[in-house]
Amino acid sequence: MSETHTIEHDAKARIAAAADLAALEALRVEFLGKQGSVSALMKTLGKMSPEERQTKGPEIQALRQAVTDELAARKDVLEAAALEAKLAAETLDLTLPAPEAPRGSVHPVSQVMDELAEIFADLGFAVATGPEIEDDWYNFTALNMPESHPARAMHDTFYFPDPAPSGAASGSNAGRMVLRTHTSPVQVRTMMDVVKENPAGAPLRIIAPGRVYRSDSDATHTPMFHQIEGLVIDKGIHLGHLKWTLETFLKAFFENEDIVIRLRPSYFPFTEPSVEADVGFALVEGKRVLGGSGDEPGHGWMELLGSGMVNRRVIEMSGLDPDQWQGFAFGVGVDRLAMLKYGMDDLRAFFDGDARWLSHYGFPALAQPTLSAGVGERA
Ligand code: 2NL
């Protein structure tokens, strides 16, 4: 056998036996590298006679091509095998559960606020927010509570010590800053924004949820608590609209079509007439179960929220014409709603930050309340 045949035979056998890409690369250097055996043969061409080169030339070129092809073919096979091995070693089982990790929970107050936003969004209400440190005017005066009004004392307000820099007449509360005692000032601000945008006025449907503050602390009162107020302004609004809205909201919130409410005359400076809404309950094994008229034997009425037709003086102070625009408003404690719906009996535990309480009463962070899935579902 000629030398080219010997080399080709040897190369084919060893390339076929190369176990990995590194071994194959060593063979490439051995045959085709600068000092390689095929390269050495190429160099002999120069010293040959033209006749010899005529026959040996193509033979050596063919050898070089054959070895190159063998190397490339083996490389493809080895690379495919390497990829297969890598894929087999690196598979991820995407059906495995996520690893254990610290998990927070959504506080029942946040959950209830989300539920309320969802329920009222469905009724066409937008969510309005505003400052917790309020100007005395927005918190009281604009709500028909002049300085002499006993309701200001009724509210046990946290006043800031210094008058606001804008400077009001001394000896007056005007310009004084307070921790807002209700979210009504948010609604006043929203009405005034509407007038700024449109001096003739425009209809409005908002809820104003958030923190409010009163200097009051006992088993059933905390100095900070959560309130949600609702306000509808339009033409020809009457108590019937208020009653339907409250009934519809409470049925959706408690996920109970049997909820019955009773409106009872009351007094708030910012509404006229003012009505308190009671919700009927039945006593079942000593526990209050909401639903049905409270007038049946073994039933009763529970005071739940305050509301009324917006006082025309409030509409006027917000810059709207009270002969054109009417409205209703209501206010309810969010903490109280959460306790009633989810069965907590101690308000103070809401603000202790006890991790065991939070993991027991909290909600999964990824479970957003929706009307279609049920506003109060835990999973
Ligand atoms: C309660 C009762 C209420 C309002 C809040 C309101 C807001 C504006 C105008 C008129 Cl801008 N009213 N809000 C009305 C009636 C009752 O809250 O028991 N709160 C704890």
Side-chain angles (χ1 to χ4, degrees), residues 257-270:
E257 281 298 308
D258 298 331
I259 296 284
V260 175
I261 61 169
R262 168 180 88 170
L263 298 185
R264 202 162 28 77
S266 184
Y267 174 78
F268 301 106
F270 26 86

Side-chain angles (χ1 to χ4, degrees), residues 90-105:
E90 293 180 0
T91 48
L92 279 179
D93 184 350
L94 298 176
T95 66
L96 286 174
E100 272 306 316
R103 263 178 294 192
S105 64

Side-chain angles (χ1 to χ4, degrees), residues 7-318:
I7 293 178
E8 186 172 342
H9 193 77
D10 177 45
K12 278 189 173 169
R14 291 179 57 204
I15 288 169
D20 53 35
L21 289 164
L24 194 67
E25 173 62 10
L27 288 174
R28 188 192 64 78
V29 171
E30 185 179 332
F31 294 110
L32 302 180
K34 266 196 181 130
Q35 318 289 322
S37 50
V38 177
S39 307
L41 272 183
M42 299 282 286
K43 282 174 199 155
T44 62
L45 287 172
K47 290 173 193 130
M48 287 176 190
S49 64
E51 296 74 33
E52 200 180 0
R53 205 181 294 135
Q54 279 278 319
T55 54
K56 288 282 180 185
E59 212 176 287
I60 294 171
Q61 283 293 358
L63 166 66
R64 190 166 173 270
Q65 193 57 55
V67 173
T68 302
D69 292 347
E70 286 295 320
L71 283 167
R74 183 66 185 153
K75 193 173 181 212
D76 284 347
V77 170
L78 288 175
E79 276 178 349
L83 179 62
E84 278 304 315
K86 200 171 168 189
L87 286 174
E90 293 180 0
T91 48
L92 279 179
D93 184 350
L94 298 176
T95 66
L96 286 174
E100 272 306 316
R103 263 178 294 192
S105 64
V106 173
H107 194 286
V109 170
S110 302
Q111 169 76 16
V112 165
M113 298 246 221
D114 290 348
E115 292 175 17
L116 293 171
E118 174 76 7
I119 289 164
F120 280 104
D122 192 50
L123 299 176
F125 287 66
V127 174
T129 56
E132 291 176 22
I133 296 172
E134 244 323 343
D135 190 299
D136 174 277
W137 190 86
Y138 290 100
N139 195 76
F140 292 126
T141 311
L143 289 151
N144 193 35
M145 298 158 81
E147 267 171 64
S148 60
H149 204 289
R152 285 198 182 191
M154 235 165 66
H155 276 301
D156 297 24
T157 308
F158 287 113
Y159 281 94
F160 279 78
D162 302 312
S166 55
S170 60
S172 129
N173 264 336
R176 212 61 202 278
M177 300 304 277
V178 301
L179 285 180
R180 69 182 182 193
T181 57
H182 42 198
T183 60
S184 315
V186 175
Q187 326 222 63
V188 170
R189 286 175 179 277
T190 308
M191 281 190 278
M192 293 176 85
D193 287 345
V194 164
V195 174
K196 222 187 278 172
E197 219 26 45
N198 189 342
L204 185 64
R205 261 184 253 172
I206 51 167
I207 52 169
R211 293 178 171 153
V212 298
Y213 303 83
R214 293 189 197 168
S215 180
D216 203 350
S217 191
D218 59 36
T220 55
H221 298 87
T222 47
M224 184 282 297
F225 59 102
H226 301 85
Q227 198 197 20
I228 182 169
E229 290 202 10
L231 173 71
V232 169
I233 298 284
D234 211 325
K235 296 188 173 176
I237 292 292
H238 55 69
L239 265 181
H241 297 122
L242 168 63
K243 191 175 188 208
W244 181 88
T245 304
L246 293 179
E247 234 162 41
T248 303
F249 137 55
L250 292 171
K251 283 176 178 175
F253 178 72
F254 289 110
E255 298 176 280
N256 180 354
E257 281 298 308
D258 298 331
I259 296 284
V260 175
I261 61 169
R262 168 180 88 170
L263 298 185
R264 202 162 28 77
S266 184
Y267 174 78
F268 301 106
F270 26 86
T271 45
E272 183 59 36
S274 301
V275 287
E276 249 160 306
D278 298 338
V279 57
F281 65 85
L283 275 177
V284 179
E285 289 161 8
K287 280 194 162 171
R288 291 173 167 195
V289 177
L290 296 188
S293 162
D295 289 330
E296 318 276 321
H299 289 230
W301 295 101
M302 185 193 313
E303 189 180 314
L304 191 61
L305 54 81
S307 61
M309 302 308 296
V310 180
N311 190 310
R312 54 182 289 125
R313 290 175 56 86
V314 174
I315 293 185
E316 215 165 9
M317 278 187 279
S318 302

